[in-house]
Amino acid sequence: MSENEVKNLEDIFEARIARDEKIEPKDWMPEKYRKTHIRQISQHAHSEIVGMLPEGNWISRAPSLRRKVALLAKVQDEAGHGLYLYSACETLGISRDELYEQLHTGKAKYSSIFNYPTVTWADMGAIGWLVDGAAIINQVPLCNTSYGPYARAMVRVCKEESFHQRQGFEIMLKLANGTPEQKEMAQDALNRWWWPSLMMLGPTDAESVHTAQSMKWKLKRKTNDELRQQFIDQTVPQADLLGLTVPDPDLKWNEKTGHYDFGEIDWDEFWQVVKGYGPSNKKRMKDRVGAWEEGAWVRDAAMAYADKKEKRKDLKHVG
Amino acid sequence: MSKNNWPLWEVFVRSKNGLEHRHFGSLHAADAEMALENARDVYTRRSEGVSIWVVESSNITASNPENNGELFEPAADKVYRHPTFYDLPDEVKHM
């Protein structure tokens, strides 16, 4: 194809998206669109899969059966969300094995929030309330994104996600209204998860390299800073309701703007964690790669069994 | 690393009797039985279905969007296939 022809196709393609038409797997698409989507959808899928690890630790330590079934269901949802998203990503012409390979070798990223440790039961509450809360704010606009398989996966994810946040808030509420020690535990979890949750919404607009293009492709409907403000505005009153204190001395309602003003985010910490130097990066990858390698014999056995059954069927036909 | 990769399957779910099976998504599984079991766990955790079909993705033949013109455009100028094409007096009600 000549350069002019490609340019022409790109113009038609951009116009389709501007008209709110969806792009489907077999449609022509610019190489950059394909690559950007593989990167974003796979990062999203990896985040769901790695996100199970910090919570898995607490399934056997949940304080009651009610909490245990809820946490189990939440972790199972996350496995499901990872699978929806990997499937959507595979429609762009990359195999599941390649995607896993990228995660396991560190070539692909996942949300840096999962590189923080979960040290008390209250962390299950804070993760559901804050981390899933921030995730929902990120994800809801993606239900209308331009790539059909991604948009459809996100509709399903968003429908299931709201229980995650509610169960987290309920854990916090119970602890905040419990003994002084329990309330202290809830406050401690908020102290540790607040700032990483704000960072989770991505670098500031000035630092974000992909924003303009992503807006055009509807991979993004609002900028990181807008999403962060929305998260803060809706979460601070919830913290007040819990009787907990958001760990930001500069946090203040601004009558003029109708938003909360907030303090400086430690972006050095964010980039350190992204680059692999967070408190739990190594452990997460070790656990993830370990699970994959230790499961290899099961995958091979299942395939060998399927092949054997298939051969028997063929023999019967001949006989 | 696994020697053999599990093939891809497409999952179709009937959400309740009276409705058709609808494409829900896809998954990897070693064989049809496992594909059904996985589809149940991945796509019907909240009573989304009463029946599941799975078919190996490689068995599906799909039309190519590049041929959309010759395939679908001929239907665009056949307005006489629609009831509104026909002029009837107002007195004829309910037709």
Side-chain angles (χ1 to χ4, degrees):
Chain A
M1 227 182 297
S2 79
E3 229 170 84
N4 256 342
E5 280 171 317
V6 172
K7 176 85 181 66
N8 193 23
L9 280 173
E10 278 177 0
D11 288 345
I12 296 171
F13 181 84
E14 299 291 347
R16 287 183 65 192
I17 293 181
R19 279 197 303 273
D20 261 338
E21 273 183 44
K22 298 289 178 199
I23 306 303
E24 294 295 344
K26 295 185 85 177
D27 293 346
W28 183 88
M29 60 185 80
E31 210 33 47
K32 197 171 164 217
Y33 181 91
R34 184 187 303 278
K35 287 214 173 98
T36 303
H37 277 74
I38 289 177
R39 195 189 65 232
Q40 175 159 335
I41 301 171
S42 69
Q43 263 183 28
H44 199 157
H46 298 328
S47 300
E48 296 283 357
I49 297 305
V50 176
M52 293 193 283
L53 299 171
E55 290 173 319
N57 177 46
W58 285 95
I59 292 174
S60 58
R61 297 175 173 85
S64 70
L65 191 55
R66 179 186 159 88
R67 296 290 180 225
K68 186 169 179 162
V69 291
L71 188 56
L72 255 176
K74 179 179 193 278
V75 171
Q76 195 189 14
D77 274 353
E78 277 147 11
H81 296 175
L83 292 174
Y84 307 154
L85 290 161
Y86 280 132
S87 295
C89 199
E90 284 171 80
T91 63
L92 290 160
I94 185 164
S95 72
R96 184 73 62 91
D97 270 4
E98 285 173 275
L99 291 168
Y100 285 159
E101 171 97 4
Q102 289 180 353
L103 173 64
H104 296 164
T105 56
K107 194 179 157 224
K109 298 272 179 256
Y110 54 89
S111 183
S112 59
I113 193 97
F114 301 118
N115 291 317
Y116 290 86
T118 47
V119 295
T120 74
W121 170 251
D123 290 7
M124 295 304 97
I127 287 180
W129 172 38
L130 301 172
V131 176
D132 288 281
I136 290 170
I137 282 186
N138 241 333
Q139 288 169 352
V140 167
L142 289 173
C143 297
N144 289 315
T145 192
S146 65
Y147 189 56
Y150 191 27
R152 291 192 286 275
M154 289 317 300
V155 168
R156 205 180 291 280
V157 168
C158 287
K159 251 192 228 163
E160 298 180 349
E161 199 86 39
S162 86
F163 123 69
H164 296 184
Q165 197 187 11
R166 292 173 66 113
Q167 69 89 36
F169 192 77
E170 200 191 80
I171 291 172
M172 294 301 274
L173 194 63
K174 196 86 176 174
L175 290 172
N177 293 318
T179 64
E181 288 81 6
Q182 287 172 328
K183 185 169 183 185
E184 179 52 43
M185 202 194 238
Q187 180 64 54
D188 168 64
L190 172 57
N191 292 349
R192 284 180 290 107
W193 291 95
W194 175 256
W195 291 104
S197 300
L198 297 191
M199 294 175 198
M200 196 184 146
L201 293 154
T204 54
D205 296 348
E207 300 270 331
S208 180
V209 281
H210 305 300
T211 297
Q213 182 68 78
S214 295
M215 288 277 210
K216 219 162 79 183
W217 288 339
K218 299 175 184 175
L219 265 173
K220 228 175 219 212
R221 311 304 287 250
K222 288 180 179 173
T223 69
N224 294 349
D225 287 336
E226 286 169 337
L227 293 171
R228 193 166 9 252
Q229 187 69 57
Q230 185 187 338
F231 174 74
I232 292 169
D233 289 348
Q234 81 178 39
T235 309
V236 173
Q238 295 166 357
D240 293 343
L241 203 79
L242 292 170
L244 299 177
T245 310
V246 174
D248 178 359
D250 297 322
L251 189 77
K252 209 172 72 203
W253 177 250
N254 185 328
E255 209 52 75
K256 244 196 329 222
T257 59
H259 295 290
Y260 282 92
D261 294 335
F262 55 97
E264 196 74 37
I265 293 172
D266 182 359
W267 290 111
D268 285 343
E269 176 183 322
F270 174 76
W271 291 115
Q272 283 299 310
V273 180
V274 169
K275 284 175 187 144
Y277 306 111
S280 304
N281 294 57
K282 286 212 177 75
K283 172 156 176 50
R284 297 291 180 248
M285 269 310 99
K286 187 170 155 270
D287 289 349
R288 172 61 210 154
V289 174
W292 177 248
E293 284 173 355
E294 281 157 33
W297 71 271
V298 180
R299 295 191 298 278
D300 289 343
M303 205 60 236
Y305 177 65
D307 285 345
K308 192 171 81 178
K309 269 200 308 187
E310 196 60 33
K311 274 191 197 113
R312 282 209 183 133
K313 220 165 54 185
D314 292 345
L315 277 178
K316 260 189 216 153
H317 280 299
V318 176
Chain B
M1 184 58 75
S2 185
K3 292 188 294 290
N4 301 307
N5 294 324
W6 290 358
L8 190 67
W9 300 75
E10 300 301 321
V11 178
F12 299 82
V13 176
R14 183 202 296 288
S15 40
K16 62 176 188 185
N17 276 12
L19 296 177
E20 66 278 62
H21 285 77
R22 200 165 59 81
H23 185 235
F24 260 48
S26 47
L27 49 77
H28 289 272
D31 58 25
E33 198 185 330
M34 187 195 279
L36 265 185
E37 284 165 3
N38 288 358
R40 171 208 174 257
D41 286 344
V42 178
Y43 292 106
T44 64
R45 285 195 303 284
R46 289 180 176 78
S47 317
E48 289 94 338
V50 295
S51 164
I52 303 174
W53 290 346
V54 290
V55 57
E56 214 177 312
S57 309
S58 59
N59 287 329
I60 290 181
T61 308
S63 67
N64 187 337
E66 277 171 32
N67 303 332
N68 275 8
E70 58 194 85
L71 281 176
F72 305 117
E73 271 168 26
D77 61 3
K78 293 180 176 57
V79 283
Y80 48 86
R81 283 178 176 157
H82 299 278
T84 45
F85 178 71
Y86 299 93
D87 294 324
L88 267 66
D90 289 346
E91 293 80 69
V92 183
K93 288 174 181 149
H94 310 300
M95 188 184 281

